[in-house]
Amino acid sequence: MERLGPQDASFLYLESPSNHNHVGGLAILDPSTGPDGQLRFQDLLEVVSSRLHLVPRFRQKVVFPPLPVARPAWVDDDDFDIEFHMRRAALPSPGGQKELIDHVQRVISRQLDRSKPLWELYLIEGMEDGLAAVLTKVHHCMIDGMAAIDLASAIYDFSPVAQVLEAQPWEPEPEPGRLQVMSGALREGILHPLASVASTAQAALAAPARALGQVGATLGGIRTLVGGGLMAPASPFNRPIGPNRRFAMVEAPVQAFKDIKNALGGTVNDVVLATVAGGVHQLFRRRGEATKGRVQRAMVPVSVRTESERSAMGNRVSSIFVDLPVGPMGPKKRLALISEKTRYLKESNEAVGAEFLMNIGVWAPPTIHAMAARTAARARFINLVVSNVPGPQVPMFIGGARLLAQYPIMPIAPNMGLSIAVTSLAGTMAFGITADWDTLPDIEDLAQGMDEAILDLKKAAGK
């Protein structure tokens, strides 16, 4: 058995009938690049089946100890059936964006079955212009953003010739009994904190200067977090959520974001944040809400994976908290304010402090860990999430069909009904907007506002 890490377990503890903690992606595909111009379900099934050995977690399920004395663990699913996880759907005529989004919204509004490995994949047919889509849904306890990109790199090809690998033989380990799960949990609960203390002490003795520097960086980051004010400003996004989701899409070429960054300063991620801030400004303006001098606090996930942790499942992520200016101002000024803020946050080690706080559950018993996670999720520390996950900018294919764009799907929190993520793959910055159904009935106004913000930034950059 492999025990879930503190961050991974938190996503299970937080889940409820109205708070689903799966992530996913909607890949828009052009099958005309394949050998016969089609993407068949059987071909997709064959490709994915041949690569399951590259992601063994996809044949494992979660088991909880009979008593909450340790975090849950991964075990092999001896009843694994890939045809339960891979499904086929067809859109009603005319198969346009509205019909596609309606289908996506229904799928992401349902929880994953915890008795099975926590993922689903849908081939969506019947789209206009001969296109197809692949919708994936994976529990957040299995992957974070960078793990999702690594997973995509394992599943996709870099040429239109579909590569069907030789399937590796797989014999599931016998599922442990309740007594074995319980004894393993008790042993883990005693030994793991002691091992962590010993490892920390050993590292400090081996490199005392570096250890002191890490402690200083962590304390400095925590001070920045607290100094920024614990409570986020008032927002219409902070309200109790229900089980149903809305989804919207925005896209632009990756090169456009690089051109804006090169002309106006900052980073590509700063341009992403300026796009969201401009979109929120337009949304509030259309609602008739006051925007002058107003900010909305965004949690911006930051990957803390090392090179040795590439392609590993699970979560290795921290965060910074950026107050986005959503008042009336020009795009150049909005971007400059955001760039100044993110530069300060990076220098202050806020992400280091946040990572320490997010992983503090390693020391806590599961009952207290779960209680703390739920309490933190219900508090108004942030107004929305904005995540940017870069990927390879080369042509990518699955079953011979070329990837045009990959729109990410994000979970929302019990009292925070909006998450926005962007994935840059194969030359396209594809934004996925996930929201609570009742919190954002005008989700298309936000998407349109983000489109307008990108155009304004391009004009300011002379493009």
Side-chain angles (χ1 to χ4, degrees), residues 140-354:
H140 210 341
C141 72
M142 290 175 65
I143 59 172
D144 60 17
M146 289 308 300
I149 291 296
D150 291 336
L151 174 63
S153 299
I155 297 298
Y156 281 82
D157 296 309
F158 296 101
S159 85
V161 180
Q163 302 292 317
V164 178
L165 307 181
E166 183 177 349
Q168 302 294 310
W170 180 68
E171 192 69 35
E173 293 287 336
E175 185 173 339
R178 289 173 62 84
L179 185 60
Q180 187 179 352
V181 172
M182 188 67 183
S183 63
L186 288 169
R187 184 170 60 251
E188 175 90 4
I190 295 169
L191 295 180
H192 187 75
L194 295 177
S196 295
V197 171
S199 175
T200 302
Q202 186 177 16
L205 289 171
R210 191 172 78 175
L212 284 172
Q214 289 174 336
V215 170
T218 301
L219 292 175
I222 293 172
R223 279 197 302 270
T224 303
L225 273 171
V226 175
L230 288 178
M231 300 306 292
S235 172
F237 307 139
N238 294 114
R239 49 172 283 174
I241 63 170
N244 299 306
R245 302 289 175 264
R246 293 186 189 269
F247 187 67
M249 303 180 290
V250 176
E251 65 286 319
V254 170
Q255 190 58 49
F257 279 69
K258 291 181 177 179
D259 289 343
I260 293 166
K261 179 259 299 184
N262 292 337
L264 302 181
T267 65
V268 168
N269 196 56
D270 293 335
V271 180
V272 167
L273 294 174
T275 298
V276 172
V280 172
H281 167 72
Q282 294 291 353
L283 173 71
F284 285 177
R285 189 178 62 82
R286 288 179 182 131
R287 287 183 172 187
E289 293 198 25
T291 60
K292 187 175 181 180
R294 194 169 181 182
V295 299
Q296 294 286 274
R297 181 168 298 167
M299 184 178 82
V300 182
V302 177
S303 176
V304 291
R305 286 178 180 267
T306 62
E307 280 302 314
S308 64
E309 293 170 323
R310 292 299 303 268
S311 302
M313 293 291 99
N315 290 268
R316 287 288 288 114
V317 67
S318 184
S319 301
I320 60 174
F321 299 86
V322 184
D323 287 341
L324 302 179
V326 299
M329 65 185 70
K332 188 173 181 179
K333 181 179 179 182
R334 199 184 310 276
L335 177 58
L337 289 172
I338 289 171
S339 299
E340 180 182 358
K341 179 67 173 176
T342 57
R343 186 167 54 249
Y344 165 74
L345 292 173
K346 289 170 189 172
E347 293 170 354
S348 70
N349 290 308
E350 181 174 300
V352 178

Side-chain angles (χ1 to χ4, degrees), residues 77-97:
D77 179 14
D78 54 11
D79 291 323
F80 178 77
D81 180 0
I82 194 170
E83 293 194 23
F84 173 83
H85 298 275
M86 291 187 62
R87 305 170 185 186
R88 189 176 181 183
L91 300 182
S93 180
Q97 188 175 95

